[in-house]
């Protein structure tokens, strides 16, 4: 059952149907009275703008300036700020394709390109569903130097905390592994400024054309699939060999 739930909170990749993309997330993780009761933290991440109110505007061909625009939250990054190539990943913590990328591709990406100063890697949040939303808030409340460690734990332990209903205890069980206390966790989920800032990150992603996870920007080019190392080499190597490879971070 858990695998079905995780698939519904991801993106359409290859043979997957569009039932996994963000546009229909409320159907995958439905809003309900019990999920928004006074004793359950509100998570805004599954909402979709009402088309009758104009819907959302999507930038057809975003520029590097469009892609690098940030809100009030700092970018969570790995690698040199002046690396010649920048890769941005949009992720949902409940997404099995994000987990697959994290386990199968990211370690080699880090060794080959990030640790060697060739790629700057940026992680952006695109939570789909309330359970993912609450976990994402906890992720951002971790100390910055623990962010990627906690992200990895959420990925590796998806089966222990992913569910259709809101279940805070298993999320905290993961968060406390990086030193988060119950009081910090509870306070975090009530941090409206944090929630609003994370909502901006997701809405900005939607404006840039993100509809599911994982989606990537590689030097400003949107790629809507789970990248393999072969894909990454094919895109990154020509950029590295260019006479003046301009960093998307600049």
């Amino acid at each position: 059952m858990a695998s079905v739930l995780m698939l519904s909170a991801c993106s359409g990749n290859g043979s997957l149907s569009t039932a996994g993309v963000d546009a229909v997330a409320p159907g995958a993780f439905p809003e309900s009275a019990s999920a928004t009761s006074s004793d359950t933290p509100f998570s805004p991440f599954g909402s979709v703008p009402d088309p009758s109110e104009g819907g959302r505007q999507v930038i057809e061909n975003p520029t590097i300036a469009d892609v690098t625009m940030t809100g009030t939250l700092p970018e969570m990054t790995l690698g040199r700020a002046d690396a010649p190539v920048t890769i941005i990943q949009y992720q949902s913590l409940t997404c099995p394709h994000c987990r697959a990328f994290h386990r199968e591709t990211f370690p080699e990406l880090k060794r080959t390109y990030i640790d060697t100063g060739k790629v700057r890697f940026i992680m952006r949040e695109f939570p789909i569903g309330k359970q993912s939303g609450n976990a994402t808030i906890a992720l951002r409340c971790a100390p910055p130097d623990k962010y990627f460690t906690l992200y990895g734990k959420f990925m590796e332990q998806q089966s222990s905390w992913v569910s259709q209903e809101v279940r805070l205890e298993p999320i905290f069980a993961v968060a406390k592994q990086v030193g988060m206390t119950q009081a910090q966790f509870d306070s975090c989920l009530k941090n409206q400024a944090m929630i609003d800032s994370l909502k901006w990150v997701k809405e900005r992603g939607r404006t840039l054309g993100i509809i599911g996870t994982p989606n990537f920007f590689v030097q400003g080019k949107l790629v809507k699939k789970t990248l393999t190392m072969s894909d990454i080499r094919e895109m990154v190597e020509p950029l590295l060999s260019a006479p003046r490879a301009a960093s998307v971070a600049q």
Side-chain angles (χ1 to χ4, degrees), residues 95-107 151 155 158 214 226-227:
C95 174
H97 297 293
C98 294
R99 181 175 184 265
F101 175 80
H102 174 76
R103 298 188 69 183
E104 299 167 11
T105 303
F106 183 75
Y151 174 80
M155 288 289 105
Q158 273 185 350
T226 304
L227 294 177

Side-chain angles (χ1 to χ4, degrees), residues 134-185:
N134 285 314
T136 298
I137 298 169
L139 176 62
R140 268 291 184 166
C141 280
D145 64 339
K146 299 291 187 182
Y147 179 93
F148 284 98
T149 299
L150 182 53
Y151 174 80
K153 291 183 181 299
F154 276 124
M155 288 289 105
E156 293 293 339
Q157 300 172 43
Q158 273 185 350
S159 62
S160 73
W161 66 272
V162 172
S163 61
Q164 185 170 0
E165 69 276 10
V166 174
R167 296 169 58 232
L168 299 181
E169 295 83 359
I171 295 177
F172 173 64
V174 180
K176 72 179 182 180
Q177 294 172 32
V178 297
M180 188 176 296
T181 67
Q182 184 71 59
Q184 290 170 331
F185 180 76

